[in-house]
Amino acid sequence: MTLNQIKRRDGEVVAFDRSRIETAITLACDATGETEKEFIPKMTDAVIEDLILSCGSSETHIPSVETIQDLVEKHLMKEGKYEIAKAYILYREKQNEKRDERKEKLVEQFEHHSMKVTKADGSKELFSIQKIKAVFDRAASGYETLCTFEDLIEAFKKNIVDEIKTSDLSKLLVKTCIDLVTVENIFWQNIAARILLGDLYKKAIKNRGLEQKDIYSAEAYKKLFDDYIERGLYYKDFYQYYSAEDILEAGRHLSRDTDTSYEYTTVVSFIKRYLLNPNKIIKELPQEMYMSVALFLAIPEKPEHRLAFALQIYKHCSEQRISLPTPTLLNARTNHNQLSSCFKINVNDDLRAIYHAIEHIAQISKFGGGVGVYLGNIRSRGSSIRGVKGMSGGVNPWVKVINDTAVAVNQLGSRLGAISVTLDIWHLDIYDFLDLQTETGDIRSKAFDIFPAVSIPDLFMQRLKDDADITLFDPHEIEKLYGKRLQDSFDKAFEEFYLTLEQDTRIEMRKTVKAKEIFKKFLKSTVETGMPYVFFRDTVNRLNPNKHAGNIYSTQLCTEICQNTSDTKFIEE
């Protein structure tokens, strides 16, 4: 994982620059007369490592400037460089005082109507409070008694920055509205959403050559529809199922009023993830997205009912009576027709099978699917490979590869891959598995972007209740000795086979521990990380309506898909 972005004090997200950390420490050294500065690059590495460990690589956990500076202080103190740390703290305080002075001056200019803003062409003009009021009045329609302009301006003054760009004023207004949201008054988020939508409309108008009145007009929608088909963004065969008049008719049903019902987080999700606007060139708008998705989903209907059915889908989805999953919103209307959310894969204990599964995970993740991966077949750490004992690295290295696949195949930046990995609690690698996301151990072995789960049989829960021992096994050794796998049996058959294994003195790869010891480890991991999930394998398989045709080894990330899975078979010709 790498650190790519940080959040400035004004809320803007900018590219991370490690040299700024090094420069700040260097200045603190200079202030104390310290000449030995060889430690700075190594300390900077340690600060960055701590940031990655605490924030992961998710776009929702971007560290702030203050967080970075706090960590620099911590590491200076940890290394015993107290004088440098003191100079660094004093430097921070001095910078804070300068910022406060600038803020006071700006507020004074704001109140005396002398504050200047920077236009797109670089020129300066006086800030106009009337323009802000006009934007607020449009956005606050229906909320006038709950959210006042006076409250907005009072909070707005706290957020202003020197020579703010006119293009950033709407962002600042949105931030101010969100800051005003309280438990008692949540309606500021609706105003924030409308201001954000207004900014979205402006960009679409500019990029599509429209006028304000053309937003959501039938003609504008058809023009976008045809343009997106020609550019390969929309489904190339749409016109095999709809006529040009059908598309115009669909455009006549676009409801701009529906946009005003969305809350702030909904609009942010549209912009960041769901609207089909490559390279951040805004053209498609929310209602156009929903209509195009509806037209795509209605294709299987009879021709005489197809458009009417599409309009019904549009109405219920756009008004959020029906919630569509991410792959459907992302891919319906495009030439990438994966609409399903959830997939399950069993990974076999074979190099070819492992990488075959990882390729499938990448392809599924590429178009928005989440994957549940069962890893209970993979041999444990220290097991034999081609008859040579102690060679296997176990399950966790493969989890790390899967984790990095989830990060690398990030669905065109829409989100990281959503992958859960499941291991049986009797697997010899269970202790390492439970440490996947804790803060102890080697950070290089961690996997912060997947969702671990543990498969638990009834036998374990009974022994936990009885304060008895449990034996951990290597699945590879069991299969070599018996020609069958423990993980393929459930309920009574599992218990009988398990008891046989415990009595078999030939088995070398085993470890006997108290069931409570493992459960304590599980609880510690859960408290510390919120993971792993639990899959009660015997309960699920007893209730499996298809038990005559196979077994259920795990579930997927959302935990509601319980279906039979089996290993991939390779047939040589």
Side-chain angles (χ1 to χ4, degrees):
M1 291 182 291
T2 57
L3 185 63
N4 298 316
Q5 296 178 312
I6 62 165
K7 188 178 290 184
R8 292 178 14 171
R9 291 177 181 85
D10 61 5
E12 184 181 356
V13 175
V14 298
F16 171 70
D17 180 3
R18 66 170 286 144
S19 68
R20 299 191 67 126
I21 297 176
E22 294 173 338
T23 300
I25 300 174
T26 300
L27 289 173
C29 289
D30 293 342
T32 61
E34 176 64 60
T35 57
E36 297 294 330
K37 301 175 183 177
E38 290 79 6
F39 71 92
I40 294 177
K42 187 176 180 180
M43 182 173 288
T44 303
D45 290 338
V47 169
I48 294 171
E49 188 172 297
D50 272 6
L51 285 168
I52 293 171
L53 185 62
S54 61
C55 298
S57 59
S58 170
E59 63 179 25
T60 59
H61 295 91
I62 299 173
S64 67
V65 170
E66 293 293 341
T67 300
I68 295 172
Q69 292 182 343
D70 288 345
L71 280 174
V72 171
E73 284 184 20
K74 172 186 168 184
H75 279 275
L76 285 169
M77 297 295 287
K78 183 179 177 182
E79 295 296 323
K81 300 187 181 298
Y82 303 117
E83 289 301 316
I84 299 174
K86 179 180 176 182
Y88 186 79
I89 292 168
L90 290 173
Y91 171 77
R92 286 184 69 183
E93 184 59 32
K94 189 174 180 181
Q95 292 301 108
N96 284 336
E97 290 174 1
K98 287 181 179 179
R99 279 190 290 271
D100 289 342
E101 288 174 5
R102 286 199 300 268
K103 178 70 73 176
E104 288 176 10
K105 185 178 179 181
L106 277 173
V107 170
E108 186 180 337
Q109 290 175 349
F110 180 87
E111 291 174 342
H112 290 86
H113 307 291
S114 61
M115 189 182 90
K116 291 186 177 181
V117 294
T118 304
K119 298 175 68 175
D121 61 4
S123 62
K124 307 280 193 301
E125 70 175 14
L126 287 174
F127 171 77
S128 171
I129 198 168
Q130 293 306 314
K131 290 182 180 179
I132 299 297
K133 190 173 189 311
V135 172
F136 175 80
D137 288 344
R138 286 194 297 270
S141 177
Y143 299 106
E144 293 90 342
T145 59
L146 299 165
C147 306
T148 67
F149 184 63
E150 289 72 25
D151 288 340
L152 177 80
I153 287 299
E154 191 60 34
F156 185 79
K157 288 191 295 187
K158 300 174 184 176
N159 291 326
I160 55 176
V161 293
D162 196 16
E163 296 186 349
I164 186 172
K165 298 176 183 177
T166 52
S167 58
D168 289 336
L169 281 174
S170 62
K171 294 178 185 177
L172 192 56
L173 278 174
V174 169
K175 181 182 184 303
T176 303
C177 290
I178 294 303
D179 289 345
L180 287 169
V181 173
T182 63
V183 175
E184 293 77 21
N185 187 352
I186 63 172
F187 302 105
W188 283 102
Q189 67 175 322
N190 297 84
I191 296 175
R194 292 177 181 182
I195 295 172
L196 194 55
L197 279 167
D199 193 42
L200 198 68
Y201 294 159
K202 285 181 184 178
K203 292 175 181 176
I205 286 169
K206 179 182 177 182
N207 294 330
R208 291 165 62 176
L210 303 175
E211 295 183 15
Q212 185 69 34
K213 63 181 177 62
D214 296 328
I215 292 291
Y216 290 141
S217 69
E219 292 73 19
Y221 174 59
K222 185 177 182 301
K223 187 175 180 181
L224 174 78
F225 194 88
D226 292 345
D227 176 50
Y228 268 31
I229 290 176
E230 185 178 340
R231 292 169 56 197
L233 298 175
Y234 274 2
Y235 182 44
K236 60 184 176 59
D237 294 330
F238 257 130
Y239 278 118
Q240 290 186 20
Y241 303 97
Y242 297 98
S243 66
E245 181 54 39
D246 286 337
I247 304 305
L248 283 170
E249 180 61 24
R252 295 184 188 106
H253 286 77
L254 295 173
S255 171
R256 184 167 180 170
D257 289 341
T258 304
D259 270 357
T260 64
S261 68
Y262 298 141
E263 294 181 347
Y264 173 72
T265 52
T266 301
V267 178
V268 170
S269 294
F270 287 157
I271 294 170
K272 285 189 172 182
R273 183 173 297 177
Y274 298 116
L275 292 177
L276 190 54
N277 290 315
N279 303 314
K280 298 182 180 180
I281 299 172
I282 305 299
K283 289 190 174 183
E284 186 184 65
L285 295 170
Q287 299 308 307
E288 294 167 332
M289 171 194 73
Y290 275 123
M291 183 60 78
S292 300
V293 167
L295 290 168
F296 185 90
L297 295 179
I299 283 175
E301 300 300 314
K302 294 180 180 179
E304 59 269 26
H305 304 306
R306 187 176 292 140
L307 181 60
F309 195 81
L311 295 176
Q312 285 297 306
I313 295 174
Y314 162 73
K315 179 176 175 60
H316 292 299
C317 290
S318 64
E319 294 176 3
Q320 301 192 323
R321 295 190 184 93
I322 297 174
S323 178
L324 295 174
T326 290
T328 305
L329 271 179
L330 285 175
N331 298 325
R333 77 195 182 282
T334 75
N335 293 299
H336 311 295
N337 308 148
Q338 178 183 297
L339 308 184
S340 299
S341 294
C342 303
F343 298 79
K344 288 174 60 187
I345 292 176
N346 279 20
V347 181
N348 206 2
D349 185 37
D350 171 80
L351 194 62
R352 182 181 182 186
I354 291 169
Y355 276 105
H356 182 72
I358 290 170
E359 181 190 359
H360 279 301
I361 291 167
Q363 292 294 341
I364 291 166
S365 185
K366 178 180 178 181
F367 294 114
V371 192
V373 185
Y374 176 68
L375 299 174
N377 298 326
I378 295 178
R379 68 194 72 190
S380 63
R381 182 160 57 91
S383 185
S384 64
I385 296 178
R386 296 198 299 273
V388 182
K389 295 180 180 180
M391 292 296 105
S392 172
V395 170
N396 276 23
W398 300 117
V399 175
K400 188 72 167 64
V401 175
I402 293 170
N403 178 93
D404 293 346
T405 300
V407 174
V409 187
N410 66 358
Q411 303 167 18
L412 290 179
S414 296
R415 63 173 182 178
L416 300 181
I419 300 172
S420 68
V421 290
T422 301
L423 192 69
D424 297 290
I425 202 160
W426 53 263
H427 194 289
L428 202 53
D429 281 355
I430 190 63
Y431 280 95
D432 291 341
F433 188 78
L434 291 173
D435 268 336
L436 272 172
Q437 298 183 327
T438 62
E439 293 186 7
T440 56
D442 186 355
I443 190 173
R444 292 171 297 180
S445 67
K446 301 300 179 180
F448 294 107
D449 302 288
I450 47 87
F451 300 85
V454 175
S455 174
I456 298 180
D458 290 348
L459 179 64
F460 176 84
M461 299 307 294
Q462 185 60 50
R463 293 197 178 182
L464 183 65
K465 183 178 178 182
D466 296 340
D467 194 19
D469 292 340
I470 197 83
T471 307
L472 311 181
F473 293 107
D474 168 32
H476 173 68
E477 185 179 21
I478 292 171
E479 187 175 4
K480 284 291 185 183
L481 286 173
Y482 285 85
K484 63 178 182 178
R485 305 187 300 192
L486 177 59
Q487 59 269 28
D488 290 340
S489 56
F490 294 87
D491 207 12
K492 296 300 180 186
F494 172 86
E495 186 171 341
E496 291 172 4
F497 192 12
Y498 188 86
L499 293 174
T500 300
L501 294 174
E502 285 190 308
Q503 300 302 317
D504 192 337
T505 57
R506 295 175 300 165
I507 297 177
E508 298 177 4
M509 297 287 294
R510 64 193 297 159
K511 182 178 181 180
T512 301
V513 295
K514 284 285 188 183
K516 281 186 178 178
E517 183 185 326
I518 295 181
F519 198 67
K520 284 179 183 177
K521 180 74 174 177
F522 162 78
L523 289 177
K524 182 177 182 294
S525 177
T526 302
V527 169
E528 196 173 320
T529 70
M531 306 284 172
Y533 298 126
V534 176
F535 177 74
F536 290 105
R537 68 198 309 270
D538 291 333
T539 301
V540 171
N541 279 277
R542 274 196 297 271
L543 298 172
N544 181 11
N546 296 311
K547 58 171 67 76
H548 61 283
N551 300 317
I552 302 171
Y553 294 85
S554 65
T555 183
Q556 61 6 305
L557 181 59
C558 304
T559 72
E560 87 281 13
I561 305 294
C562 295
Q563 294 179 347
N564 293 358
T565 49
S566 60
D567 308 334
T568 298
K569 304 296 182 185
F570 296 95
I571 300 173
E572 300 288 348
E573 292 185 353

